[in-house]
Amino acid sequence: MSTKRQFLKLGVALSLGLAAFGLTGVAEAWEPKKPIQFVIMAGKGGGADKMARLLQSVVEKNKWSSKPLSPINKPGGSGAEALVHLKNAKDPDHTIMVTLNSFYTTPMRQPKLGVDITKFTPVARMAEDTFLLWVNKDSGITNVDQFVAAAKKAGNNWIMAGTGKLQEDQLLTDFLNAAYGLNMKYIPYKGGGKVAKQLAGNHANSTVNNPSEQEGFYAAGTTVALAGFTDNRLEMFPDAPTFKELGKDFVYYMQRSVVGAPGMSADAAAYYKALFAKVFKSPEWAKYRKKKSLQGDLLQGDALMAYWKKERAIHRAMLKKMGAL
Amino acid sequence: MEILGHLLDGFLVAFEPLNLLLVVIGVAVGLFIGAMPGLGSVNGVAILLPMTFLVPPTSAVIFLAAIYYGAMYGGAISSIMLGIPGASTAVATTFDGRPMALKGLADKALIAAALASFFGGTISILLFTGFAPALAHVALDFGDPEIFALMLLAFATFVGLGGDDIPKTIFSICIGLVFSSVGMDIISGEPRLVFFDIIGFMHGINFLVLAIGIYGIGEMMWTIEVTRGNPKMSEAVVTVERTVSALRELLSTWKTALMGSVLGFFVGILPAAGATPGSLMAYGVAKMTSRKPEEFGKGEVAGVVAPEAANNAASTGAMLPMLTLGIPGSPTTAILLGGMVIWGLTPGPRLFLDETEFVWGLTASLYAANLFAVVINICFIPVFLWMLKMPFTVLAPIIFVLCLVGGYAPTQDMHDIWLMLGFGVGGYLLRKLDYPLAPAVLAIVLGPIAEPALRQSLMISNGDFSIFVTRPISGPITIIAIILIFLPVFQFIRKRSKKNAEAGSI
C-alpha cells in the first residue's frame, strides 16, 4: 500500500515537473498526443507496403516516437482514396502518409478529387526507387540491341507487362516505343509481383520492374536485366548499362516519400521531419536501401516541395504526350 | 523425401508457442461456433478473419484452419443434440445422430462423430501431403488464359453441381460479380461504379464486408426467426463405462470411416462442391454398402461415422485447390482465399514455390489441429452441452458486436459498416426468398481474379476468344467448364420434353 502511495506521489511530482518544464517553454517539444495514423497509398503485400512497415518497425524498435505509428492501407483508386483521406484529415497533426509517383498523376487524372498536392506538408523523401528493362533468360536476349531487334520483328505481338494503366511502367514503355521505333503491346497488371511472374513464366516478353520486384527471379537466373533508367549503373547489376550510356537521355525514378496532411502545424511538421531524418540515418534503412538498389538522398521541407513541383510538371508533360490528359 | 523435410520444417512452425496457442484457441472457438445452430465454419471464419490481421500470415491461416476444423467437429454436436444441423455440412449427421440421441445414446453418437472426424481428418491430411506438391508443380505454366479457364470452371461447378435453383444461383453469382467490379478498374485505370461519388466505394467492396454481412448478421437474423430464440435440447449422460462400450462398437465401423474419408477428400477437391455434398454422398454409399440398410435413419452408428469422416476429409480436400490453383473448394475456403489476398499472399501454383514456410506450416498445423480437436471435443462434450442451453438472445448480441468490429478493422472506415448492415438485411431477405448466397460470396472473391484475366487474355490475342481453347492447359479446362455449365440446361430440356411426352400420352 505504502509503495503504491509513494509511486503516486512520484507520479504527481513528475507531472508537475513536466508541466513546469512545458510552461518555461521549449517550443520545439511537440510530441504526438495519440497514435499517428500512417496511411499507405498502396495495397498490402506490395513494395510500398513492405517499405512502410519497415519504416514503422524502425521507429518502434528504437522507441523514437512516444506514440505508435498505426499503419492503414488505402489503395483505392490508384491512391485517390488515400489522397482524399489526407486532404480531409480531421487531425492533420497525427496523419502522415507514405507515397509514390501516383501522388502526381492521380490528382491530374482525377481532377474531381480536388486534391492540390502543393497544400500537403512535405516531410521526407526517403529514397528513389529505380527501374530496369527485363527479359526472360529463355529469350536468349542479352543486350538492348538484341531486344530492339526482337521487339521490332514481333511488332504488336511483343508483350510488355506492367503495373497499372498510365502509371510508371506504361510511361517507360511509351518512352521505349518512341525512342526505338517499337510497337510493343502494353498489358496492365495489378502489382509488380504479378508482373514479374508473367515474365518468369514466359507469358510476357519484357517488363520494366523495380529491382525489388524481380530480385527473386533474378537471383534464380530466370530473368535478365538489360539496362537501367538511372543516371549511373546500379551496384547490384554491374553488367546492365544505363540508357544514358546507350545515347538515350532518359532517367526515371519512383519517389518513396513521407508526406503530412495539409494544414499540419509547423511544430508537428518539424517533429516528423526530425523523426524521419533519424530513420533515414539508421543502419536498418541503409541496409534496406542497399538490398533494394534504392537511390536518392534525403530531401525535406522546401527542397522536397520544389522536387514535387518539378516532378509534377514532368509527369504532366508525359501524360499529355500520351493523350491521357 | 523432400516432402518429409518440408513437413518437418512445417512442424517446427506449427509448434511455435504462438501458433500452437492459436491452434488450441481456434479449435475451441470453432467447436463452439460449429455447435451453435445455424452457425458453421463459414460464419466462424468470416466473422473472425479480421482478428487475424494482428498476427503474421502463417499464424493467421493456422488460426483459421483450426477454426475450420473445430467447426467441422462441432457441427455434429447440434445435429445430434438439437436435431438442427450446426451447419449444412452436418446435415447428414442428423439422419442417424438424432435418432440415436432420442434413444438415449447421445453420448455414443457424439463420441462416434468425434472419432470419425479424427479418422477422416487424418486420412485426408495424409492424402493432402501427398497430392499438394504434385499439383503445385504446374507452377509457372499458368498465364492469363489458364487462370480465366480455371475461374470459369469454378463458376461452372457452382452452377452445375449446385443442384438448387439454377436461375437463382446464376442471379446470385451476377450480384457478386457486379459488387466485385466496384472501385478502380486496373485495365482502364478509371474508377467505376463509384455510387453517388462516395469516396468509400473507391477501394471497392471488400469481400469480407459482404461475407460478414451475409453469414454473420443475415444468418443470425434467420436463426432468431427460425428458432424463436430457444432451440430444443435432448439430455445426455456421459460415463466411462458407456464410453468404453461405445469405442468397442466403433472399431467395427472402420471400413465405413475409410470409405467416407477417401470419398470426402476427393469430393472436397472438386471446386465449389465442398463438404456438404461430400458428407451426403458418404452417407448414401454407407447405406448402399451396409449389410443392414434398413437400420439407417433409425439410429445406426455407421450413419454417423460416414458423413462425419467425410465432412472433415472434405474440408482438408477443399484447401488443396484453394492453395494450389486459387480456386476455393467451398464457401469457407473462398473466405480463406480472400484472407490470403489481404495478407499479401497470392494463392495459386506459385504459392508452393514462393511461400514454403506458409504452406508447410499450414499442413503441419492441420495435423496438430486435428489432434487437438478430437481431444478438446471429447473432454469438453459436457461443457458444450451446457453452453448450448444458453439462450440465443444472449449469444446473438455477442455475435453482432463481433461482426461490427470485424467489418471495421480491415479498412477502419464507417462506410464499410453501413454497407455490411445493408448486406446483412439484403442477405436475410434473399435467403427468405430461397436464393443461395454462397455463389455471391464466391463471385466477389473470384470476380477480381477472373475479370482482369479475361481482359488481359483478350488483349494478348487481339480480341480473339479462341485463345481459351487453343492452348494446351486452358483448352481442356475451358471445355469441361462449358460442358458443366450446359449440363443442367440439357437436363432441364430433357425433363421438359419428358413432361411434355407424359402430358401428351394422357
Side-chain angles (χ1 to χ4, degrees):
Chain A
M1 198 63 202
S2 70
T3 50
K4 212 173 185 179
R5 196 163 288 162
Q6 269 178 352
F7 193 71
L8 205 73
K9 269 186 195 158
L10 191 74
V12 170
L14 256 176
S15 54
L16 278 175
L18 276 176
F21 185 69
L23 283 175
T24 51
V26 183
E28 56 156 6
W30 186 91
E31 285 275 333
K33 285 152 200 79
K34 58 180 205 182
I36 304 152
Q37 204 176 48
F38 194 42
V39 180
I40 303 165
M41 203 171 160
K44 275 197 179 151
D49 180 57
K50 282 182 190 152
M51 192 201 83
R53 284 166 199 276
L54 177 85
L55 293 176
Q56 179 212 355
S57 73
V58 173
V59 171
E60 295 201 339
K61 204 177 105 193
N62 295 301
K63 301 202 170 64
W64 281 335
S65 171
S66 53
K67 292 281 184 280
L69 292 171
S70 70
I72 169 166
N73 296 75
K74 288 202 180 283
S78 291
E81 199 195 353
L83 287 166
V84 171
H85 180 79
L86 239 71
K87 189 185 97 172
N88 299 335
K90 285 189 201 90
D91 186 1
D93 282 2
H94 294 91
T95 312
I96 57 175
M97 173 171 80
V98 173
T99 190
L100 340 109
N101 284 6
S102 43
F103 185 60
Y104 319 121
T105 52
T106 298
M108 269 179 232
R109 298 246 301 130
Q110 300 178 41
K112 262 205 289 187
L113 301 176
V115 169
D116 178 2
I117 58 166
T118 57
K119 298 263 168 55
F120 285 61
T121 311
V123 173
R125 186 190 72 183
M126 302 301 287
E128 284 183 310
D129 210 341
T130 60
F131 294 86
L132 293 108
L133 174 64
W134 302 85
V135 291
N136 191 303
K137 195 191 71 179
D138 298 344
S139 67
I141 295 170
T142 54
N143 60 46
V144 174
D145 288 341
Q146 289 172 358
F147 162 79
V148 171
K152 261 210 176 109
K153 207 170 136 209
N156 190 238
N157 288 324
W158 187 274
I159 293 164
M160 173 72 96
T163 305
K165 179 85 174 176
L166 292 169
Q167 293 181 27
E168 300 82 8
D169 291 9
Q170 197 175 2
L171 299 178
L172 292 172
T173 307
D174 195 58
F175 158 75
L176 288 172
N177 275 338
Y180 292 102
L182 304 175
N183 188 21
M184 294 184 285
K185 188 191 294 183
Y186 178 79
I187 303 205
Y189 288 87
K190 205 179 168 193
K194 283 211 172 95
V195 173
K197 281 170 196 172
Q198 295 300 316
L199 186 65
N202 269 320
H203 304 296
N205 300 100
S206 57
T207 66
V208 284
N209 281 117
N210 299 134
S212 58
E213 292 163 351
Q214 277 286 359
E215 69 183 340
F217 295 115
Y218 174 74
T222 318
T223 56
V224 185
L226 296 182
F229 296 88
T230 45
D231 288 290
N232 301 303
R233 288 195 186 200
L234 295 176
E235 216 175 290
M236 235 167 95
F237 309 95
D239 298 331
T242 63
F243 279 97
K244 250 185 171 172
E245 287 176 54
L246 299 172
K248 308 282 177 190
D249 191 15
F250 189 79
V251 291
Y252 189 81
Y253 296 101
M254 163 102 87
Q255 70 160 338
R256 302 284 190 197
S257 300
V258 180
V259 49
M264 179 183 277
S265 68
D267 291 346
Y271 172 84
Y272 293 118
K273 273 190 232 168
L275 177 65
F276 282 98
K278 253 198 256 177
V279 175
F280 188 86
K281 288 181 197 110
S282 68
E284 293 95 335
W285 183 244
K287 197 174 134 206
Y288 183 81
R289 281 174 58 99
K290 195 168 155 88
K291 196 171 150 234
K292 306 286 177 186
S293 284
L294 296 180
Q295 310 283 303
D297 299 324
L298 178 69
L299 276 188
Q300 296 199 288
D302 293 340
L304 179 54
M305 182 55 81
Y307 166 80
W308 283 348
K309 285 181 175 160
K310 187 186 94 205
E311 286 288 313
R312 187 170 66 160
I314 294 171
H315 280 87
R316 176 164 285 142
M318 282 196 281
L319 286 178
K320 272 218 172 100
K321 217 175 97 199
M322 292 167 76
L325 282 182
Chain B
M1 266 298 101
E2 197 194 340
I3 293 176
L4 279 183
H6 280 312
L7 193 60
L8 227 59
D9 290 342
F11 272 111
L12 292 182
V13 175
F15 284 102
E16 279 168 23
L18 171 70
N19 294 346
L20 204 60
L21 183 73
L22 287 175
V23 167
V24 176
I25 296 175
V27 164
V29 170
L31 270 171
F32 182 58
I33 290 175
M36 304 241 317
L39 298 184
S41 59
V42 189
N43 315 84
V45 172
I47 295 169
L48 292 170
L49 178 57
M51 310 282 157
T52 64
F53 299 143
L54 303 171
V55 293
T58 308
S59 309
V61 80
I62 286 174
F63 180 57
L64 293 182
I67 293 177
Y68 190 12
Y69 241 89
M72 283 293 166
Y73 275 86
I77 296 176
S78 66
S79 288
I80 293 166
M81 297 309 296
L82 307 174
I84 306 170
S88 67
T89 51
V91 168
T93 313
T94 51
F95 299 163
D96 277 281
R98 185 61 180 164
M100 282 179 79
L102 291 177
K103 278 197 238 168
L105 299 171
D107 53 328
K108 192 166 134 190
L110 286 172
I111 291 166
L115 291 179
S117 294
F118 177 68
F119 191 81
T122 309
I123 297 282
S124 64
I125 297 163
L126 289 172
L127 289 171
F128 180 91
T129 313
F131 273 90
L135 259 175
H137 264 287
V138 283
L140 285 172
D141 293 336
F142 274 67
D144 296 312
E146 285 77 17
I147 290 173
F148 179 71
L150 273 180
M151 293 301 122
L152 198 64
L153 183 66
F155 285 120
T157 42
F158 243 85
V159 176
L161 297 177
D164 308 77
D165 196 330
I166 289 162
K168 281 182 174 171
T169 304
I170 293 175
F171 175 81
S172 182
I173 288 180
C174 290
I175 286 191
L177 285 177
V178 170
F179 286 149
S180 80
S181 58
V182 170
M184 197 68 182
D185 172 25
I186 189 74
I187 309 276
S188 71
E190 303 284 345
R192 59 181 177 186
L193 294 180
V194 178
F195 304 112
F196 310 110
D197 280 333
I198 298 173
I199 195 77
F201 283 114
M202 278 277 191
H203 64 237
I205 295 177
N206 194 329
F207 88 98
L208 204 66
V209 170
L210 184 74
I212 298 183
I214 289 176
Y215 289 118
I217 294 170
E219 196 89 10
M220 201 174 58
M221 286 160 65
W222 172 259
T223 309
I224 290 177
E225 184 184 329
V226 171
T227 61
R228 305 254 167 228
N230 49 357
K232 266 205 145 355
M233 280 286 296
S234 41
E235 294 299 320
V237 200
V238 186
T239 64
V240 179
E241 283 160 59
R242 286 173 68 100
T243 310
V244 171
S245 81
L247 285 177
R248 205 167 291 145
E249 194 174 334
L250 272 175
L251 275 178
S252 63
T253 62
W254 71 272
K255 267 189 205 158
T256 313
L258 188 64
M259 179 278 298
S261 310
V262 176
L263 186 75
F265 180 76
F266 285 102
V267 174
I269 289 181
L270 291 179
T276 309
S279 62
L280 287 167
M281 282 166 72
Y283 183 84
V285 174
K287 190 174 170 181
M288 273 193 299
T289 54
S290 169
R291 260 175 288 165
K292 34 179 185 171
E294 68 282 355
E295 287 298 313
F296 277 72
K298 292 177 193 157
E300 166 65 35
V301 182
V304 173
V305 168
E308 276 303 308
N311 71 23
N312 266 57
S315 63
T316 315
M319 294 235 196
L320 193 65
M322 175 197 73
L323 293 171
T324 57
L325 302 175
I327 300 184
S330 66
T332 313
T333 45
I335 289 169
L336 282 176
L337 183 78
M340 284 173 67
V341 176
I342 296 180
W343 301 321
L345 297 163
T346 316
R350 288 218 48 90
L351 190 73
F352 277 69
L353 306 179
D354 294 345
E355 305 283 351
T356 45
E357 186 192 301
F358 173 83
V359 169
W360 293 103
L362 170 64
T363 312
S365 70
L366 286 178
Y367 284 93
N370 195 30
L371 187 68
F372 281 111
V374 73
V375 173
I376 294 178
N377 192 351
I378 292 185
C379 297
F380 280 72
I381 283 175
V383 179
F384 289 125
L385 297 182
W386 172 77
M387 276 172 127
L388 275 178
K389 287 178 189 153
M390 198 194 285
F392 200 69
T393 42
V394 175
L395 288 169
I398 297 174
I399 299 169
F400 186 72
V401 169
L402 273 177
C403 289
L404 291 192
V405 173
Y408 183 75
T411 51
Q412 298 176 25
D413 194 342
M414 274 311 282
H415 169 82
D416 284 350
I417 297 286
W418 301 121
L419 209 57
M420 190 176 76
L421 291 173
F423 285 140
V425 174
Y428 163 75
L429 293 175
L430 283 176
R431 181 145 183 204
K432 284 202 77 135
L433 297 170
D434 262 341
Y435 281 87
L437 294 171
V441 175
L442 181 89
I444 205 171
V445 172
L446 297 186
I449 304 173
E451 191 215 327
L454 170 67
R455 292 166 72 188
Q456 282 149 356
S457 305
L458 289 176
M459 283 169 90
I460 291 169
S461 72
N462 294 320
D464 186 353
F465 275 93
S466 68
I467 189 171
F468 297 113
V469 282
T470 51
R471 293 166 60 117
I473 301 178
S474 71
I477 302 177
T478 309
I479 290 167
I480 295 172
I482 291 173
I483 293 174
L484 273 176
I485 290 176
F486 283 103
L487 201 63
V489 179
F490 287 138
Q491 284 172 340
F492 187 69
I493 294 170
R494 240 181 57 193
K495 250 188 218 160
R496 245 232 175 122
S497 59
K498 221 176 174 181
K499 240 188 208 162
N500 283 348
E502 276 168 18
S505 71
I506 294 166

